[in-house]
């Protein structure tokens, strides 16, 4: 099970990587496109600054490449191998998946990126 204290919890739900108490994002819904990358400056619970250094989240572009590939491979396997559509349909499905999940991929990448540099700290929760 995924629970607080696991890196996966912070990655999937976009919560503060140190205390797991609140969302890093101003708007929890990634499909409000004007707010996709709008983040709080600090965690109001443990005071962790999310942007460790200027342009910190540019690094998440490396991660988004890997996450995008994962989504594309999943789309390909589902349409080509499981549903047994043609290659053309599989290609269209891949493009549609990458466009449709773009906000989710962006946020997942940021969450993974920040979780590479920060870890859960039990002592911050009790404050
Ligand atoms: Zn926090």
């Amino acid at each position: 099970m995924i629970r607080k204290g696991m890196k996966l919890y912070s990655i999937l739900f976009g919560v503060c990587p140190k205390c797991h108490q609140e969302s890093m994002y101003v708007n929890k819904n990634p499909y409000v496109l004007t707010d996709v990358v709008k983040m709080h400056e600090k965690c109001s619970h443990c005071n962790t600054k999310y942007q460790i250094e200027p342009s910190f989240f540019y690094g998440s572009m490396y991660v988004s490449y890997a996450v995008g590939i994962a989504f594309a491979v999943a789309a390909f396997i589902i349409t080509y191998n499981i549903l047994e559509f043609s290659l053309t349909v599989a290609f269209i499905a891949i493009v549609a998946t990458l466009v449709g999940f773009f906000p989710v991929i962006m946020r997942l990448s940021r969450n993974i990126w920040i979780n590479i540099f920060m870890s859960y700290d039990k002592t911050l929760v009790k404050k």
Side-chain angles (χ1 to χ4, degrees), residues 79-127:
T79 49
Y80 190 71
N81 292 359
I82 297 174
L83 300 175
E84 296 179 343
F85 283 113
S86 68
L87 271 180
T88 314
V89 175
F91 177 74
I92 293 166
I94 288 170
V95 173
T97 303
L98 288 179
V99 171
F101 284 98
F102 177 69
V104 175
I105 292 170
M106 254 173 103
R107 282 205 173 174
L108 273 179
S109 313
R110 281 178 169 237
N111 299 347
I112 291 171
W113 185 247
I114 198 168
N115 269 283
I116 291 173
F117 297 94
M118 293 181 189
S119 287
Y120 182 65
D121 188 343
K122 222 188 277 177
T123 55
L124 293 172
V125 181
K126 287 163 190 160
K127 273 203 282 186

Side-chain angles (χ1 to χ4, degrees), residues 14-31:
V15 293
C16 169
K18 285 208 169 170
C19 69
H20 292 190
Q21 296 295 305
E22 65 162 43
S23 175
M24 292 189 283
Y25 299 97
V26 175
N27 192 329
K28 279 189 175 183
N29 181 357
Y31 284 96

